[in-house]
Amino acid sequence: MKPFQLSRRAALRGLGGAALALPFLEVMGCSKRLAPASEQTGRAALGAEFPKRFVVIYTPNGTVPPDFWPSSTQLQNGEELSPILAPLKDHNEDLLVLGNVSALSALVGPGDAHQKGTGQCLTARAMQEGDFPGDAGLSCGWADGISVDQEIANHIGTRTKFLSLELGVLVYGAAVGARIAYRGPAQPLPPENSPYTAFDRLFSDLSITPEAATTKSEQRRAVLDKVAADYKRLQRRLGAADQEKLAGHLASVEDIASRLDRGVAPTSAACAAPVLTPDIDPDKVASMPELTRLQLDLMAMALACDLTRVASLQFTNSATTKVLSFLGPDITEGHHPMAHNGYADPANRQRLMKISRFYAEQVAYLIAKLKSMPEGNGSVFDNTVIFWTNEHADGNHLRQNIPYVLAGNAGGHFKTGRFVSQTKQVGHNNLLVSLLQAMGVDTESFGDPKYCTGPLTGLTS
Amino acid sequence: MAEPRSLRWPIGLLFLASCSGQFGDLPGNDEDGEATAPLCTAIEPGESPLRRMTRVEYDNTISDLLGDDSRPARGFVPEEESLGFNNQAAALVVSPLLAEQYMAAAEGIAARAAGKLLGEAPACREAAGGEACRGEVAALVASFGKRAFRRPLAEDEIADFVALFRRGIALGDAPDDASTGLALLLQAMLQSPHFLYRVELGMPDPVEGDVAPLTSYEVASRLSYLLWGTMPDEALFAAAEQGALGTAAEIEAQARRMLEDPRAREAVKGFHRQWLGLAKIDEIAAGGKDPELYPEYRDELLPLFQAETEAFLDHAIFEQDASVSALFTAPYSMMNRELAEFYGVEGGPKGDAFERVELDPSQRAGFVTQAGLLSLYAKPNRSSPVHRGRFVRQSLLCQIPPPPPDVVPEPPMVDPTKTTREQFSQHVSDPGCRSCHTLLDPIGFGFEHYDALGRWRDAENGIPVDASGELTQTDIDGPFDGAVELAHRLAQSEQVRACVVKQWFRFGYGRAEQSADTCSLAQATQAFEASGYNIRALLVALTQTDAFRYRRLINAGGNAGGNAGGNAGGNAGGNAGGTPAGAAEGEP
């Protein structure tokens, strides 16, 4: 794979959040040389497959179940979709809405309902004991295993510049309610909240001349080799717990070192630095719609440029008290307390529905964005599956029948355009197995095997 | 210099033990109040986990080490929180993202510093590959490295860094580029575990079983990061080099000196930000306050709220030499003009600076009645007795309320014609809610004279406020009327004092207290009590405990707590200058 690099001058225009008026490739004057990788490598001509991608979207505080579930098992013209899913109408045929799948592993173990719902949504096993404050006192620790996105990344993310990309919108702090992705037990991966910082991380190292990039990689390798040696040497002299701590740090250092030579390897002609609207405050609730767009633009571009094949976007913390007042003047209360007030009151039901619809709109935006990125004879979306998960089913901690939605068939793996209910309630471990299999991972179990009986039935045919 | 190893068991800890039937509590205490006093005849340091710098500590350290005030760590991933603090060793993990941020920060710092370092190695300007340059770089590594790693470097460590320099000069833009060599060397030092973590191996020889004193350099760093949140200064380094941090008295003298420095005030501020949640006050902006009910609210008030409580605690502790009780009962606060206007204080400060303002002692008492905390533990549209009650239980009394049911029943609808208190009385009528809320709400009701912005009110929705409350399952049980009376009650509580010790222990030592820490807690508590519960005395006392001064040796198998052995081979530099302090003190 040829590293994709930009001239310094061009890069300056693209950095610091300044908007790039022209598509990336054109600005760099290299649109011919770096036409889609499919043409360069002849992968399409050879009939080889494009990379599969996996995306997680996490939203908190449950949904409004009576306004969520489709009216029919076949999603054909969009009329079957519920008020909450209506924003996904244009992508009706790409959806798999999953009924009777429950977060069984989140009904057991330490922690309060939010800590469990969030910490196990991608790990599917009980939380560790710990001392995070929550409604269950200081009882909950981090999640107790690798998350499904990371397990997938271990299989499909090994050759890209980034193993995976964790993005957030208004996720604050570093407690269990602020993390969904885990490299392993008690190894949470923090999301990046600022699109500007994420932009620099994704694209800035690529914005220097090839010679300068090579020099920089060599320098970094020299430093990181020395740093890694220091960690190894010290590790041997410490107690077990401290050894483990340094092992985690060392793994991160070695991960960076192993990816120094990786660059952009666009599989889509759309690979171009996204245009970032400048000066959006990443800490303001009012900026949420704009921030979401920027994060999703970056995520889509990272996929199209093959900087990574696994990405997640976490919307706010678990049990967020943020008041999403940008959705209307009637929203004057935090999402979490409002969710607890339930949907018996029609006005509150309306407000909660508005929030859930907003999230559906964001999923729709990402789908449309990926569809707009050509790849081979189709689009980047064709080789992707988006997994929309929630910490709970409703605002009062229900963990049965979580409103799970998949979008995209992952290169023909899933048979979409349907609302598939499992005949008997199953743990969402099964859903995570289905996703692993869709990404080409050969496994029959994930998370706590107690809650896992293999993949979901009826998704692939 | 024999120290008494047998300590009276402080009464505050006994009270804690007595209510552990209901609340999460200090491990290892007896259930009844008749627990016998621990004898504390053996040194028991507890755990000594490897501690990583926080973002604030990183920035402070870079500033002191290199005069670089760019504070790059502000952009780092936030610390994982545990026990309400961001410096708990067990919780902190390094993700690939953070490792990248360490790398990028080190590159930026090195780029800014390499020129200055080159000035200290003039021969390298002439011939970066020459012997003279190599000697100068070795000297630079030794002198700079000692400050960066906070201990002298061993010969092989110096040689390794010189080797990196030599590799670096070949990787620069120009041939034999000494500044690139120095930059890489610096980058590697700033990403080293010896910089980012406080590596402590202890003295090679145990004084008792497998317990060894920390080396003088390790003590110097413990002092500087506890009391200043940064690396040791010249005086601490000099003391470490002379082995003059071995005895309790030497450590105490340093601690007292350090508490006179403005950096100590910043560190104490940092503690309160986390313990009381002051750092979260600006998060109120996320939800704001209902503009119809609170038109006076604006986001710009929030930093003033935080500044008020910080300035109050700072003034009380460092200007008034306050005891715990004064923090709860002081009839004054610190305000500037804008804040005084918000409170409606007449004849208050005229400028932007915070000044002491005397308040009506029937309406305000200490930090618990200040607007920031009252706004934080409130809803956008009303006060929140639940959150205020939980704050008192959890943060001030160190009690953990039992969990609510896993699936919460829907609460009744809110009735805007009633007072907040009446509405919450409805909530408690449900037996499923009652178990938890009877522990929280009756305390929180005491704050009903303060609205969601912390302003005094005599009536709510036209109905006179009833701020009567009740404390249960504490050492100060009984009914009370209003937050002022509550604050005075808390000021006299042994349980609150024990909680303050415990919170400082967690923050200061970066870990949860455990049963092995009984004697260290007793040591600190006894000194605290003897001082009349003076906060600065407690800070000094924290430097005198077994937990602060000793650690268990690490055995070759990698387990702390086994016998010595693994330590014998290494740490040539780490132990330099340290004297076997504990041995000199004599144990009974």
Side-chain angles (χ1 to χ4, degrees), chain A residues 255-328:
Chain A
D255 181 63
I256 300 171
S258 72
R259 291 164 195 274
L260 285 173
D261 293 331
R262 316 265 169 82
V264 167
T267 57
S268 166
C271 173
V275 178
L276 299 192
T277 317
D279 302 327
I280 308 291
D281 185 342
D283 298 321
K284 282 267 179 289
V285 181
S287 313
M288 205 163 154
E290 193 68 50
L291 283 171
T292 304
R293 291 294 155 95
L294 295 182
Q295 295 289 53
L296 291 175
D297 286 351
L298 283 168
M299 179 192 282
M301 202 52 73
L303 296 174
C305 295
D306 206 25
L307 285 164
T308 191
R309 295 174 185 178
V310 175
S312 59
L313 179 64
Q314 176 173 7
F315 279 100
T316 77
N317 292 46
S318 159
T320 182
T321 54
K322 297 207 184 305
V323 183
L324 310 186
S325 51
F326 61 87
L327 289 173

Side-chain angles (χ1 to χ4, degrees), chain A residues 215-444:
Chain A
T215 303
K216 194 168 180 183
S217 288
E218 285 173 0
Q219 292 180 356
R220 282 182 166 171
R221 190 180 315 288
V223 171
L224 293 177
D225 284 353
K226 165 71 176 127
V227 170
D230 283 356
Y231 279 87
K232 283 180 196 152
R233 187 153 64 171
L234 176 60
Q235 240 184 319
R236 292 195 290 269
R237 298 167 64 191
L238 299 178
D242 291 342
Q243 279 188 1
E244 200 179 308
K245 187 174 290 293
L246 286 194
H249 195 145
L250 175 63
S252 293
V253 169
E254 288 179 330
D255 181 63
I256 300 171
S258 72
R259 291 164 195 274
L260 285 173
D261 293 331
R262 316 265 169 82
V264 167
T267 57
S268 166
C271 173
V275 178
L276 299 192
T277 317
D279 302 327
I280 308 291
D281 185 342
D283 298 321
K284 282 267 179 289
V285 181
S287 313
M288 205 163 154
E290 193 68 50
L291 283 171
T292 304
R293 291 294 155 95
L294 295 182
Q295 295 289 53
L296 291 175
D297 286 351
L298 283 168
M299 179 192 282
M301 202 52 73
L303 296 174
C305 295
D306 206 25
L307 285 164
T308 191
R309 295 174 185 178
V310 175
S312 59
L313 179 64
Q314 176 173 7
F315 279 100
T316 77
N317 292 46
S318 159
T320 182
T321 54
K322 297 207 184 305
V323 183
L324 310 186
S325 51
F326 61 87
L327 289 173
D330 53 332
I331 297 188
T332 57
E333 204 177 1
H335 187 196
H336 177 230
M338 196 189 296
H340 270 291
N341 290 337
Y343 43 87
D345 169 24
N348 201 54
R349 176 170 171 172
Q350 189 63 28
R351 289 191 284 263
L352 289 171
M353 200 180 77
K354 230 184 238 183
I355 294 176
S356 289
R357 271 177 74 102
F358 166 76
Y359 287 132
E361 284 163 13
Q362 309 316 306
V363 176
Y365 177 82
L366 178 61
I367 296 172
K369 188 89 194 171
L370 294 175
K371 281 184 176 174
S372 76
M373 297 172 146
E375 184 169 82
N377 296 325
S379 76
V380 172
F381 182 71
D382 296 340
N383 299 303
T384 302
V385 62
I386 299 168
F387 171 37
W388 178 15
T389 182
N390 201 306
E391 59 174 326
H392 295 149
D394 75 4
N396 283 306
H397 305 172
L398 186 67
R399 272 149 284 171
Q400 279 81 15
N401 214 7
I402 304 268
Y404 291 120
V405 177
L406 303 184
N409 62 35
H413 182 84
F414 290 124
K415 190 166 163 257
T416 56
R418 294 180 303 144
F419 168 29
V420 179
S421 277
Q422 303 298 302
T423 47
K424 203 172 98 197
Q425 170 177 270
V426 296
H428 80 306
N429 303 57
N430 291 13
L431 165 54
L432 303 186
V433 170
S434 290
L435 290 167
L436 283 157
Q437 292 185 350
M439 290 293 116
V441 183
D442 184 18
T443 185
E444 293 292 321

Side-chain angles (χ1 to χ4, degrees), chain B residues 525-547:
Chain B
T525 304
Q526 194 187 38
F528 191 35
E529 186 182 356
S531 74
Y533 303 103
N534 180 288
I535 299 291
R536 285 201 289 184
L538 174 60
L539 290 179
V540 174
L542 282 178
T543 70
Q544 303 289 298
T545 63
D546 290 352

Side-chain angles (χ1 to χ4, degrees), chain A residues 97-171:
Chain A
V97 183
L98 304 174
N100 223 4
V101 181
S102 299
L104 300 180
S105 59
L107 295 168
V108 296
D112 69 25
H114 286 280
Q115 292 169 327
K116 286 190 276 203
T118 299
Q120 63 74 56
C121 72
L122 300 182
T123 59
R125 54 171 75 238
M127 305 297 291
Q128 292 187 345
E129 302 213 339
D131 50 29
F132 285 117
D135 283 339
L138 304 176
S139 71
C140 187
W142 296 111
D144 198 25
I146 190 169
S147 55
V148 70
D149 57 312
Q150 294 302 305
E151 184 64 37
I152 288 170
N154 284 346
H155 287 88
I156 69 171
T158 54
R159 293 192 305 180
T160 49
K161 183 166 175 65
F162 298 95
L163 181 74
S164 63
L165 179 64
E166 287 73 45
L167 298 174
V169 172
L170 294 160
V171 179

